[in-house]
Amino acid sequence: MAKPLPPDSMGNLMVNQWPDWLPLRADLKSEKPYGAPQLDVPIRLNTNENPFGPSKALVKDLEGAISEIGARLNRYPDRDALELRRELARYINQLSDTRFAEGNIWAANGSNEVIQSVFLAFGGAGRSALGFEPSYSMHRNIARVTGTNWISVARGENFAIDLTSAKSVIAQERPSLVFLTTPNNPTGTITPLAEIRQLARSCAEVGALLIVDEAYQEFSDEPSAVTLIPELPHLLVCRTMSKAFAFAGARIGYLVADTRAIDAMLLVRLPYHLSSATQALALVALSYSQELLANVALLSSERTRMRKSLERIGVAAISSGANFFLFESANPAALWSELLESGVLVRDVGLPAHLRVTVGTPEENDRFIAALASAQEKSSTR
Ligand SMILES: Cc1ncc(COP(=O)(O)O)c(C=O)c1O
């Protein structure tokens, strides 16, 4: 049976019970900290992590890098993370046949920090950011924390973006920032490059930046929006090593953009924000990109296998370009609990009639499919 992990330091129990002596901002008092339930369950398919830990060779090289920098930890890290940014540019250039250099890349502690820096530089009081929802909730959360007005535009049929209405809302609302996640979390939906180009043009007309969040891009067959940056300098692409590189614990995200947009990141970053350890570990992981991308291919083929298996047991699954997908359920809350009873944790993302599952190892996926099949069978005999 699933055991809850001990309460974390975010003091969840205190939410809404703030003492009078604490001068917390009024607009934060009713908020809850972000976080998926962390339960101690055998099969955890709820946070879109990559299930494959680093290989033995990679662990050895990571250890080597740590012991090398260990002797130099009295010194601050390279403040501008130049070597890491150069290697990230090289990685992107290899994938997308582009010509970026370190000046086109910003690196930070996870793409969440990148997104926060984008808000600090281009959002804030009196400005608006717009997003197509359902999508990654941190865009909205960081808007709130930075005092940026959030405009939510509902996605259309099959969670795709309705371009006509998107363009007219952008023209009417004139936001400073427009967020587009592709493949989208939690729906897995891919927005084709031709549509991104059209959205970018609408943004240019009102002086907005288009931020394309490509956290799951390596799992998709669609070309990356980085290929549009040379023609559309107000398009910024945010990516992460958390998913494809299976490096979520190391916290490395990055932005690919025109050099002037990257220069603006320097105005809002904290000095020495990216530790020597983080930079060194990321460089080692980048040198293993071929090995790590082989696992991405395996996960993408597992996604197809899982969706086919679900089809066979009569569960509709939504097409996805990421390492997760949505599946349908008449009663998602009940099914979530039933799967948990079988030791499988998926995510109830709050979408009516849907749950989200992350693609795990083939064995984990088999356990999920078996648990779902047995829940289906029980509900049909009820
Ligand atoms: C769409 C999207 N963007 C950004 C992130 C943040 O990733 P990280 O901060 O680990 O780089 C996530 C994490 O799940 C995500 O789903």
Side-chain angles (χ1 to χ4, degrees), residues 34 47-48 109-113 115 136 139 181 183-185 213 215-216 238-243 248 251-253 324:
Y34 171 90
T47 51
N48 299 345
N109 294 283
S111 49
N112 285 329
E113 191 185 38
I115 296 164
Y136 183 49
H139 299 154
T181 306
N184 186 41
N185 179 11
D213 186 335
Y216 302 95
C238 173
R239 300 184 54 137
T240 181
M241 292 182 73
S242 294
K243 315 294 176 177
R251 311 302 303 129
I252 298 126
F324 56 83

Side-chain angles (χ1 to χ4, degrees), residues 71-129:
R72 285 182 280 120
L73 282 178
N74 55 319
R75 300 290 178 197
Y76 282 114
D78 171 4
R79 198 176 43 210
D80 295 330
L82 283 173
E83 193 185 353
L84 174 58
R85 288 162 61 198
R86 201 171 306 131
E87 288 309 310
L88 285 165
R90 193 205 299 269
Y91 168 68
I92 288 293
N93 290 341
Q94 270 167 5
L95 284 187
S96 293
D97 196 20
T98 42
R99 306 273 176 279
F100 296 116
E102 63 268 25
N104 297 105
I105 308 281
W106 182 243
N109 294 283
S111 49
N112 285 329
E113 191 185 38
V114 172
I115 296 164
Q116 187 180 55
S117 295
V118 166
F119 269 104
L120 289 174
F122 307 114
R127 295 189 164 204
S128 297

Side-chain angles (χ1 to χ4, degrees), residues 46-79:
N46 68 327
T47 51
N48 299 345
E49 285 159 328
N50 188 315
F52 297 111
S55 65
K56 281 202 178 110
L58 173 50
V59 170
K60 197 157 169 279
D61 285 353
L62 292 171
E63 282 168 5
I66 287 293
S67 71
E68 212 175 284
I69 61 142
R72 285 182 280 120
L73 282 178
N74 55 319
R75 300 290 178 197
Y76 282 114
D78 171 4
R79 198 176 43 210

